[in-house]
């Protein structure tokens, strides 16, 4: 049985595309056939983060409009045969994703893949609603700040009332909280909300905590999902999140301020 998982947030710039790329690669690395779809029409960030932007010929909207077949539009990852990307269109027409078109594409993908990861655009407009509508599970990506938590709360409301599962009265979309760009120093100095604060407000189970980490930008500049950087804290935290998504029990890491030894104090490093 394949699973459709939306990576959503409400607020922009919180780390959805970073998360979609890393979770997808993490699932593929563990042998699961995975496709990641960019629902962010007009922007196209996912193919950059996955380093396949030069291979984009056809896209999601071309498939929906019947201008290309799904197999013509899917791009196989260079590093892992289990991972495929369905890129977003550059079109300005934000309503190009029709509900029946999206459904047809997802039905076809279900035949080939174990996991279908949907990278949502920000906001609660048409594109974001299409990304979440067919989801079985949702990774609610949130930063530890009030505006992000508030928007995540709105998205949880949408998942519970406007998804297909809600409309049909099926088992609800399984929600996961992924707290990203977490900075323990700023939490300790009360500039940011703590995990406990966010959990209390959103009241959904925690899938993971991804620290604020310079290696995220470095990796994306190289077209590499940060999960492939095994030395980085963000990469390790995404590995843990993938394990939990697959049902493994993993303790949370990177929650508290790290006590630096003298070597790290001298030479830095994360
Ligand atoms: N854990 C992290 N540590 C440091 N920087 C991060 C982290 N996660 C994401 N970023 C940075 O935050 C910025 C936004 O990330 P990303 O594009 O993944 O967000 P998004 O939610 O997809 O944005 P949008 O709403 O525009 O689609 C990028 O510059 C990215 O490198
Ligand atoms: Mg994005």
């Amino acid at each position: 049985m394949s699973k459709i998982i939306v990576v959503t947030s409400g607020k922009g710039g919180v780390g959805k595309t970073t998360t979609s790329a890393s979770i997808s690669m993490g699932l593929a690395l563990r042998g699961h056939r995975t496709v990641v779809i960019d629902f962010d029409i007009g922007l196209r960030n996912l193919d950059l983060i996955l380093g396949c932007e030069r291979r984009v010929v056809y896209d999601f909207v071309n498939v929906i409009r019947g201008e290309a077949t799904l197999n013509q539009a899917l791009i196989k990852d260079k590093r892992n045969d289990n991972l495929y990307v369905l890129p977003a269109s550059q079109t300005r027409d934000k309503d190009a994703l029709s509900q029946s078109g999206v459904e047809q594409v997802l039905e076809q993908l279900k035949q080939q893949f174990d996991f279908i990861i949907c990278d949502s655009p920000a906001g609660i407009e048409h594109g974001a609603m299409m990304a979440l509508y067919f989801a079985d599970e949702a990774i609610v990506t949130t930063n530890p700040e009030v505006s992000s938590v508030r928007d995540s709360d709105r998205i949880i409301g949408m998942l519970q009332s406007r998804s297909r599962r809600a409309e049909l009265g099926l088992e609800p979309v399984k929600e996961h909280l992924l707290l990203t760009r977490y900075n323990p120093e700023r939490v300790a100095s009360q500039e940011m909300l703590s995990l406990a604060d966010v959990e209390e407000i959103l009241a959904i189970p925690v899938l993971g905590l991804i620290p604020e980490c310079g290696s995220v930008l470095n990796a994306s500049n190289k077209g590499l999902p940060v999960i492939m950087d095994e030395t980085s804290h963000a990469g390790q935290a995404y590995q843990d999140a993938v394990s939990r998504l697959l049902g493994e029990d993993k303790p949370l890491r990177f929650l508290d301020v790290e006590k630096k030894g003298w070597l790290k104090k001298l030479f830095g490093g994360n």
Side-chain angles (χ1 to χ4, degrees):
M1 264 293 277
S2 58
K3 255 184 207 166
I4 302 177
I5 304 179
V6 61
V7 178
T8 184
S9 69
K11 191 168 192 284
V14 296
K16 292 179 294 295
T17 301
T18 304
T19 297
S20 300
S22 276
I23 297 279
S24 305
M25 178 58 88
L27 291 166
L29 285 167
R30 293 176 198 209
H32 301 286
R33 299 227 353 126
T34 304
V35 60
V36 55
I37 310 177
D38 192 346
F39 275 78
D40 209 344
I41 300 302
L43 277 177
R44 275 191 47 190
N45 275 329
L46 182 67
D47 48 77
L48 285 170
I49 292 190
L50 283 164
C52 64
E53 70 280 6
R54 287 182 299 275
R55 299 204 178 168
V56 176
V57 178
Y58 294 115
D59 58 56
F60 195 10
V61 171
N62 290 136
V63 179
I64 287 179
R65 290 184 174 153
E67 295 155 358
T69 66
L70 186 54
N71 283 320
Q72 284 178 290
L74 284 174
I75 303 172
K76 186 159 100 170
D77 186 80
K78 293 176 208 169
R79 298 145 297 207
N80 193 303
D81 289 349
N82 291 321
L83 180 62
Y84 285 76
V85 183
L86 184 55
S89 168
Q90 295 280 41
T91 173
R92 283 170 203 279
D93 177 9
K94 298 261 177 201
D95 293 330
L97 299 177
S98 64
Q99 185 165 309
S100 60
V102 172
E103 182 169 21
Q104 273 176 26
V105 171
L106 291 175
E107 283 306 317
Q108 265 183 281
L109 289 171
K110 277 186 185 174
Q111 313 297 316
Q112 301 180 42
F113 293 98
D114 305 322
F115 287 98
I116 301 169
I117 308 295
C118 303
D119 179 18
S120 174
I124 50 168
E125 310 300 317
H126 182 72
M129 296 312 292
M130 282 301 101
L132 71 77
Y133 184 72
F134 295 98
D136 300 307
E137 301 194 15
I139 298 178
V140 180
T141 311
T142 309
N143 291 165
E145 19 177 275
V146 172
S147 61
S148 174
V149 175
R150 199 181 286 143
D151 287 359
S152 288
D153 212 11
R154 269 193 98 187
I155 276 291
I156 293 171
M158 293 295 174
L159 289 164
Q160 294 176 354
S161 58
R162 301 271 298 276
S163 61
R164 184 171 61 165
R165 284 180 169 271
E167 278 181 12
L168 299 181
L170 302 172
E171 199 180 313
V173 178
K174 187 172 177 187
E175 299 148 339
H176 308 274
L177 170 63
L178 188 76
L179 199 56
T180 58
R181 310 200 66 167
Y182 192 83
N183 182 330
E185 277 96 9
R186 296 186 63 190
V187 172
S189 62
Q190 297 189 332
E191 288 167 67
M192 278 188 159
L193 300 173
S194 68
L195 174 65
D197 295 334
V198 180
E199 267 187 287
E200 193 185 321
I201 301 168
L202 297 181
I204 61 174
V206 180
L207 179 72
L209 178 136
I210 314 296
E212 173 80 21
C213 180
S215 47
V216 171
L217 191 61
N218 272 335
S220 73
N221 284 339
K222 291 187 208 143
L224 204 75
V226 71
I227 198 166
M228 296 189 85
D229 179 355
E230 288 164 9
T231 61
S232 77
H233 285 181
Q236 292 166 12
Y238 274 118
Q239 288 286 5
D240 290 355
V242 171
S243 298
R244 294 187 198 102
L245 195 60
L246 293 170
E248 289 169 42
D249 213 5
K250 285 263 172 190
L252 283 173
R253 295 192 268 175
F254 313 115
L255 191 57
D256 299 314
V257 178
E258 198 185 349
K259 288 186 190 66
K260 287 196 172 173
W262 67 271
L263 261 176
K264 274 204 169 164
K265 273 187 189 148
L266 266 180
F267 298 108
N270 61 9

